[in-house]
Amino acid sequence: MQPDRNSIKKATRKRYEWPPPEGTEDVYVPQARNPIHSILTALPVIMLVVGLYLYYQGESEQSHSAPIRAESVDAEGIFTGLSAVKSGSSGGRHYLWFEQDGQSRGVRIQPGQAAMLQPLARGEAVRVRMAPSVPDSRVFWAWYIEQDGVVFLDTSDTLQ
């Protein structure tokens, strides 16, 4: 069944043309972006990426450098245990804990050295020699560990 020609509504406005003719109000004009707004919007992401890069670069430098002999320090205390902090780095960060002058102190050790230090007896005196692996760092790495005359770790040949 065909619709009646009189029942079809005729268009009263002019047909839309694509692309629109130049110089009319119908032309799409992209909104101008403020460069300062763009930078401020991206700044938190940029800061996060830079922060993560600097953190992992510093951590990599710490863990892949040998302790510095000139900045080495001797300490004695009561061995309290070993711990590991799982982080993004392979194997995580491992610590040897001992109590010195009533305060707990943690010294970094390599993940492979943690198994060698398992036989240490808790509550017994321990002698630790440690040094930072990066100049002027507050992170100290153990390079010599002795308990009851038994040397558990001696990496003096790898010192810088």
Side-chain angles (χ1 to χ4, degrees), residues 29-42:
V29 179
Q31 187 175 3
R33 293 187 180 198
N34 186 347
I36 293 175
H37 182 265
S38 298
I39 291 171
L40 289 176
T41 304

Side-chain angles (χ1 to χ4, degrees), residues 2-3 5 9 15-16 19 29 36 43 52 57 63 67 76 89 95 108 143-144 153:
Q2 291 275 342
R5 284 197 170 269
K9 196 173 182 181
R15 264 190 160 171
Y16 183 75
V29 179
I36 293 175
L43 195 59
L52 287 172
Q57 181 185 19
S63 60
E76 289 191 27
S89 62
Y95 294 90
R108 292 276 304 264
W143 61 270
Y144 181 88
L153 178 68

Side-chain angles (χ1 to χ4, degrees), residues 14-66:
K14 185 180 171 192
R15 264 190 160 171
Y16 183 75
E17 295 178 25
W18 188 256
E22 295 293 324
T24 66
E25 293 89 34
D26 296 336
V27 175
Y28 172 74
V29 179
Q31 187 175 3
R33 293 187 180 198
N34 186 347
I36 293 175
H37 182 265
S38 298
I39 291 171
L40 289 176
T41 304
L43 195 59
V45 175
I46 293 169
M47 289 171 54
L48 176 67
V49 169
V50 169
L52 287 172
Y53 173 77
L54 291 175
Y55 171 78
Y56 282 108
Q57 181 185 19
E59 180 64 26
S60 176
E61 189 177 344
Q62 284 274 351
S63 60
H64 291 94
S65 298

